[in-house]
Amino acid sequence: MGVELVKESMAELSNQVKTNRIKGPGIFQSLEVSDGGIRISTDIEVFTVRFYRSNIVRIHHQTEEKDTNPFSVIEVPQEVNFTVEENDDSIMIVGEEFDLAVRKNPILFTFLTKEGKIINQDEDGLGTESQGDQTTVYKKLQKGERFVGLGEKTGGLDRRGSGYQNWNTDHFAYEVEADPLYSTIPFYIGVHNSLSYGIFVDNTYKSHFNFGASNNRFSSFSTDAGDMDYYFFSGAVEEIIQSYTWLTGRMPMPPMWSLGYQQCRYSYYPDSEVVDVAKKFRTKEIPADVIVLDIHHMDGFKIFSWDEKNFPNPKVMIQTLKDLGFEVVVICDPGIKIEENYKPYHSGVENDIFIKYRDGQMYEGEVWPGWCHFPDFTKEESRSWWKEMMKSYTDVGVKGFWNDMNEIATWGQMLPENIEFDMNGETATTRKARNVYGLQMTQASYEGATANLGNERPFALTRAGFSGVQRYSAMWTGDNVANDDHMLLGVRLVSSLGLSGIAFAGYDVGGFVGNGDRKLFARWIQLGAFSPMYRGHSMINSHDSEPWSYGEEVEEISANYIKLRYKLLPYLYSCFLHASETGVPVVRSLAIDYTHDDQVYDQNFENQYLFGPSIMVAPMKSDDQYAKVYLPGESWFEFFTDEKYPGGQEMIKEYPLEKLPLFVKESAIVPIYAEAGSNTRDVGALLELHLYNGTQSNFFEYYEDDGTSFDYREGTFHRRSISFSPEKKNLILNTSTGSYPSKMKKLKLVFHGFTKEEIEVLDAQVKSESYSFLTPISNFDPVEKRETKHEIENVLTVTTDYQADEMTFNW
Ligand code: MIG
């Protein structure tokens, strides 16, 4: 055979057999400049580069027919000024906040600060590669580069050296290193050399992220199919989170009751037991707002039904609970049982709302109720069908919806990849739809509930999700295990979710699987008080997880921290408002405020976080007697004692079981409902404003509304900025805005770390008194006979009437 002939037949063969040969980035052919950005055509692909805001640019890489995600991004490009300069081997885009250099042969992108420092760059020799349908972008690892975020991912705060996959997966009792878990947020933040940037890979197929795992050359992101479509964000970490949540949406204000303590169990039944649990909270005077009904309230686990024997009259039961001051959350599984005489089944088939195979046969999967069909939540009609179905709940007074099993989880855990989904009219298979099924179910549940409830805010919770899920739902971290490592992992997961746009998140307090002990539960329920969602839950046949389930001492600890949570509601609710307006999370990993301080990534300290702007939580293991804490930045007050510590140091201190290591930042302003009662509606009329002495000016935006309706959107709120100036020596409560009349009648200023001489000149009566954030604790651990001090010996207080007009306190 002649050489030519061999070549020819080889070529033919390679046409027939698709190999995994790598295609590198293409060679530049042409450039088009338009208003919003540029378009580069190469020999094999098209890159569209488009500004969305001055610090956001989208890089869309397309080789075949357009294949993008219809669900996550809700914003359109804004006007941004930029100029384009082209020369022989490169294109320079000069933007407002950063510049972008594009090399032509082969195509490579480099993002630069206005001073010319490299923020992020394609790896020289690799760039954008594809193998079959899979596309990967390789980024050069920068010196000392760290990576944070990526949503619900196990591992350390700094993800350097780790790799992850995104493929929403039901993982019962996951190991602390397991991956993937239930949800996918393909957004991360890179940090190096005093710089930071964000990358959101907007592709819903299975994806893979490598942050220098098994290599020391690159970080990378790959998508198994579809267009490589990513957004680059410049700025500081907080600004990046704000920008990402501008693009993909933010949480609406949840109902206030969902921030209270929620009690869950797999499962409470019959109805009398549910009511008994609620009553027990009241007789024991432990505040709580929510009882959650898991799968046993249904008839044969069929959604939209009630077990006739155990729940003969749900409406009456729910009313009884409401009279006790509780709201009810019900679990919602997506599977609709295939069964004669089951209405949702017939109506679902009739309305053609289920997912199907290519030949039109509906998919059947087996789950709790038996063999089921599954609504196609990626289809508008299915979502409105779901809304109609939800009336069976909203009509009897249910306002909370817990979306479970929406990965989709079915027995066998191998959802076929050849099922078709509507995808808002752009039909695609499981490969593209799986990761957004949970997101779309929460959209259906949230919008359905909102439509059915009129002007009432619903609460939605979900296990699976994708970028954008924060618009509809809170998220919890699934089936964790009752041990210390899981408790700390939960903290990191919630921090990472916060970095990734999901401000409203939580974990099963006490651990879902297995049995913990009293110390573990005590530590966990303390921590949960400082988590956006606060819910105790445990699995069938495992230890109870009510506050009273671990003996008297732990009950007292639980009651104390739950009460503390309720006292902190004005602080927390204001943080929720901030999160709903800016995307800045309630649980703030220290990587947000202290991004370039190496210590915050240290394994000893990576679990620490800020709860709101000013309270730092340092979680500790239940067997540890001593906590090792890192105090970053400025000075800190120990929360329970007011002991003052300068920042920039590590410290080791004994923390008895009833004390969680908590620190307040200097200059902090912390509003507290001193008279908080049995649930979130019962807030009393005394607002305490705790001011911590410091050298920095500070300000806090205090927020109140009715807690339940959407009226705040029309101005029915009470909002005021409170500012502290150490220089001017004053505290000013600016005139409130909004038409909601505050429930507060009295105001008590509580000065921490001030001397009497310092503030004596205040017009009003300054009193010196002792103060405790914990309610008096009786006989602590009779065995260990520990004496615990939890009083701050002297704070200075000033009490006056609370007014909506400006109030100035000078000293
Ligand atoms: O197959 O509804 O993660 O919180 O209690 C298990 C029963 C289904 C999984 C959830 C868990 C819930 C459980 N569910």
Side-chain angles (χ1 to χ4, degrees):
M1 244 197 292
V3 175
E4 281 318 303
L5 213 61
V6 173
K7 268 197 191 155
E8 247 177 66
S9 58
M10 290 288 279
E12 209 170 281
L13 198 67
S14 71
N15 279 338
Q16 289 161 6
V17 186
K18 212 173 185 185
T19 70
N20 68 337
R21 221 167 277 160
I22 299 172
K23 271 194 260 156
I27 303 297
F28 178 84
Q29 308 272 308
S30 67
L31 168 72
E32 270 171 67
V33 180
S34 70
D35 282 355
I38 64 167
R39 209 179 132 89
I40 299 169
S41 303
T42 78
D43 52 337
I44 51 172
E45 70 227 316
V46 174
F47 286 98
T48 317
V49 177
R50 222 188 145 130
F51 282 101
Y52 269 60
R53 255 174 37 170
S54 54
N55 72 325
I56 308 177
V57 72
R58 174 184 182 184
I59 312 273
H60 178 202
H61 171 275
Q62 197 182 330
T63 48
E64 288 166 36
E65 246 173 84
K66 192 166 155 209
D67 187 354
T68 56
N69 168 15
F71 298 120
S72 296
V73 169
I74 54 165
E75 280 294 345
V76 293
Q78 310 287 298
E79 219 185 286
V80 175
N81 293 316
F82 65 94
T83 58
V84 180
E85 227 176 82
E86 187 185 2
N87 58 37
D88 285 352
D89 43 45
S90 68
I91 301 162
M92 189 70 191
I93 308 172
V94 178
E96 291 177 30
E97 297 196 31
F98 63 89
D99 299 339
L100 175 51
V102 189
R103 199 163 89 189
K104 284 184 173 173
N105 186 8
I107 297 287
L108 293 169
F109 295 91
T110 300
F111 302 86
L112 302 148
T113 65
K114 297 307 290 176
E115 294 77 43
K117 281 197 212 152
I118 292 174
I119 313 173
N120 175 271
Q121 70 191 123
D122 286 3
E123 213 284 341
D124 268 8
L126 306 172
T128 306
E129 287 184 349
S130 54
Q131 294 189 47
D133 285 342
Q134 188 187 66
T135 310
T136 306
V137 176
Y138 293 90
K139 299 287 187 182
K140 185 178 172 184
L141 269 179
Q142 303 294 330
K143 189 164 170 274
E145 192 166 19
R146 302 178 184 282
F147 302 89
V148 299
L150 207 67
E152 189 190 53
K153 292 297 181 190
T154 57
L157 167 62
D158 178 6
R159 307 202 174 285
R160 174 77 181 254
S162 302
Y164 301 91
Q165 275 199 59
N166 288 312
W167 192 237
N168 292 359
T169 298
D170 172 14
H171 197 154
F172 173 76
Y174 51 96
E175 310 78 48
V176 288
E177 293 296 334
D179 184 69
L181 296 182
Y182 310 91
S183 74
T184 296
I185 314 291
F187 165 66
Y188 70 90
I189 296 168
V191 173
H192 64 92
N193 299 306
S194 304
L195 299 168
S196 50
Y197 65 89
I199 285 183
F200 166 43
V201 182
D202 190 15
N203 177 307
T204 72
Y205 288 89
K206 186 185 275 181
S207 60
H208 315 263
F209 286 71
N210 182 322
F211 299 114
S214 307
N215 89 86
N216 57 6
R217 184 177 178 183
F218 59 79
S219 64
S220 67
F221 41 91
S222 307
T223 53
D224 274 6
D227 297 352
M228 175 50 75
D229 191 4
Y230 76 93
Y231 294 79
F232 170 88
F233 306 83
S234 74
V237 173
E238 185 164 314
E239 195 187 346
I240 292 167
I241 300 171
Q242 292 194 16
S243 305
Y244 166 75
T245 53
W246 169 79
L247 192 70
T248 60
R250 295 175 181 141
M251 148 188 91
M253 273 307 271
M256 177 76 125
W257 55 261
S258 64
L259 308 192
Y261 181 72
Q262 307 192 17
Q263 188 62 59
C264 189
R265 178 80 222 230
Y266 173 15
S267 309
Y268 290 125
Y269 66 88
D271 51 4
S272 55
E273 188 187 341
V274 179
V275 171
D276 283 348
V277 172
K279 280 187 180 153
K280 212 157 169 182
F281 276 96
R282 296 300 176 244
T283 49
K284 286 180 172 289
E285 296 184 359
I286 299 174
D289 272 75
V290 177
I291 298 279
V292 186
L293 300 180
D294 205 331
I295 52 176
H296 289 88
H297 72 279
M298 296 179 270
D299 169 24
F301 305 131
K302 289 182 306 229
I303 184 164
F304 310 122
S305 77
W306 295 85
D307 182 311
E308 268 181 40
K309 195 173 122 261
N310 289 325
F311 293 86
N313 200 333
K315 198 168 180 174
V316 169
M317 175 193 73
I318 291 166
Q319 192 51 52
T320 309
L321 291 167
K322 282 181 198 278
D323 294 342
L324 287 163
F326 283 86
E327 291 294 344
V328 173
V329 171
V330 294
I331 196 163
C332 297
D333 289 352
I336 301 292
K337 188 174 192 185
I338 302 164
E339 187 183 77
E340 286 304 319
N341 303 322
Y342 175 46
K343 268 203 202 137
Y345 163 64
H346 289 287
S347 136
V349 172
E350 229 162 78
N351 288 283
D352 188 23
I353 61 108
F354 296 122
I355 50 176
K356 298 176 209 160
Y357 293 98
R358 178 170 57 92
D359 63 0
Q361 189 172 319
M362 285 177 283
Y363 166 64
E364 294 179 17
E366 198 183 13
V367 66
W368 287 112
W371 289 96
C372 291
H373 292 319
F374 294 81
D376 184 354
F377 291 111
T378 72
K379 181 171 161 182
E380 169 88 59
E381 291 78 9
S382 309
R383 295 195 293 269
S384 45
W385 175 85
W386 187 253
K387 173 187 88 187
E388 287 306 310
M389 290 293 123
M390 285 177 79
K391 285 188 176 152
S392 66
Y393 293 134
T394 48
D395 283 351
V396 294
V398 177
K399 293 178 202 154
F401 303 90
W402 171 22
N403 298 271
D404 190 21
M405 307 294 274
N406 49 1
E407 291 76 26
I408 305 170
T410 48
W411 303 161
Q413 299 294 359
M414 190 57 69
L415 187 69
E417 294 200 2
N418 62 340
I419 304 167
E420 291 187 328
F421 295 74
D422 180 72
M423 298 295 274
N424 272 4
E426 298 167 16
T427 309
T429 68
T430 312
R431 295 181 66 210
K432 184 173 180 182
R434 178 177 177 124
N435 283 338
V436 291
Y437 188 82
L439 165 67
Q440 290 312 108
M441 182 182 180
T442 62
Q443 180 180 0
S445 294
Y446 181 77
E447 291 181 352
T450 309
N452 294 348
L453 292 172
N455 193 27
E456 286 248 22
R457 292 178 222 169
F459 166 66
L461 177 65
T462 189
R463 197 168 71 177
F466 192 84
S467 292
V469 68
Q470 67 271 13
R471 303 195 295 263
Y472 312 115
S473 181
M475 186 179 280
W476 101 106
T477 61
D479 298 341
N480 63 0
V481 183
N483 63 46
D484 274 303
D485 287 339
H486 256 277
M487 177 172 69
L488 299 180
L489 172 63
V491 167
R492 287 197 303 285
L493 290 173
V494 168
S495 292
S496 182
L497 286 167
L499 283 162
S500 316
I502 299 177
F504 198 4
Y507 35 74
D508 287 345
V509 165
F512 178 69
V513 185
N515 301 313
D517 61 13
R518 63 178 193 98
K519 282 187 179 172
L520 180 71
F521 189 81
R523 285 300 184 201
W524 218 325
I525 201 152
Q526 290 172 345
L527 267 180
F530 294 87
S531 155
M533 188 184 89
Y534 191 13
R535 190 183 82 161
H537 183 34
S538 63
M539 193 178 133
I540 196 164
N541 298 328
S542 66
H543 201 295
D544 294 340
S545 69
E546 291 95 24
W548 49 81
S549 312
Y550 288 86
E552 264 178 53
E553 183 192 13
V554 178
E555 180 178 329
E556 239 181 296
I557 293 174
S558 304
N560 245 306
Y561 280 81
I562 295 175
K563 283 179 189 160
L564 182 55
R565 163 82 168 202
Y566 280 74
K567 287 186 182 174
L568 284 167
L569 276 175
Y571 174 77
L572 180 60
Y573 199 57
S574 303
C575 295
F576 264 79
L577 180 80
H578 188 61
S580 79
E581 291 183 339
T582 65
V584 173
V586 176
V587 159
R588 307 161 67 104
S589 158
L590 297 186
I592 298 178
D593 294 79
Y594 308 96
T595 312
H596 304 290
D597 181 341
D598 288 341
Q599 290 288 85
V600 310
Y601 304 95
D602 186 299
Q603 279 197 356
N604 286 306
F605 311 119
E606 63 178 352
N607 300 318
Q608 289 180 212
Y609 63 90
L610 279 168
F611 183 65
S614 313
I615 301 176
M616 185 170 68
V617 184
M620 62 190 282
K621 287 197 173 182
S622 60
D623 281 333
D624 288 351
Q625 228 182 311
Y626 291 85
K628 195 170 177 195
V629 181
Y630 175 62
L631 300 164
E634 44 287 89
S635 297
W636 299 85
F637 290 81
E638 212 277 351
F639 186 69
F640 294 116
T641 60
D642 266 6
E643 271 165 68
K644 208 176 167 189
Y645 298 90
Q649 61 158 340
E650 292 173 22
M651 68 147 201
I652 295 179
K653 207 184 149 196
E654 188 174 3
Y655 276 90
L657 194 59
E658 67 280 5
K659 265 192 207 161
L660 179 67
L662 291 172
F663 300 84
V664 189
K665 209 192 269 185
E666 67 158 305
S667 300
I669 301 164
V670 181
I672 279 187
Y673 289 150
E675 300 166 342
S678 64
N679 71 16
T680 54
R681 268 144 290 192
D682 187 7
V683 297
L686 172 59
L687 184 71
E688 276 180 5
L689 215 49
H690 291 254
L691 179 66
Y692 292 82
N693 206 353
T695 53
Q696 321 267 326
S697 302
N698 193 16
F699 115 109
F700 186 86
E701 183 138 46
Y702 173 67
Y703 181 76
E704 255 184 84
D705 62 22
D706 67 16
T708 55
S709 80
F710 286 105
D711 292 350
Y712 72 98
R713 291 182 172 159
E714 267 68 62
T716 313
F717 51 75
H718 173 82
R719 186 171 176 156
R720 68 196 307 175
S721 60
I722 301 170
S723 50
F724 163 52
S725 166
E727 214 176 294
K728 292 188 193 139
K729 296 188 192 295
N730 67 16
L731 181 77
I732 303 175
L733 283 73
N734 289 290
T735 308
S736 68
T737 58
S739 61
Y740 182 75
S742 171
K743 290 191 187 132
M744 298 299 110
K745 299 281 175 278
K746 287 269 173 215
L747 175 71
K748 180 171 175 180
L749 303 182
V750 185
F751 292 89
H752 297 259
F754 290 81
T755 61
K756 190 139 196 194
E757 294 70 52
E758 257 178 291
I759 61 163
E760 211 164 31
V761 293
L762 257 177
D763 259 359
Q765 281 264 300
V766 180
K767 274 209 232 154
S768 175
E769 51 184 295
S770 72
Y771 187 90
S772 178
F773 285 105
L774 300 175
T775 44
I777 297 165
S778 57
N779 55 340
F780 258 110
D781 197 337
V783 187
E784 288 169 33
K785 292 239 174 10
R786 251 188 345 256
E787 281 261 0
T788 57
K789 187 175 134 352
H790 50 83
E791 302 242 307
I792 302 169
E793 256 146 41
N794 62 73
V795 293
L796 300 167
T797 66
V798 173
T799 307
T800 175
D801 288 341
Y802 183 83
Q803 295 155 20
D805 296 334
E806 181 180 302
M807 299 176 79
T808 303
F809 302 92
N810 289 301
W811 57 88

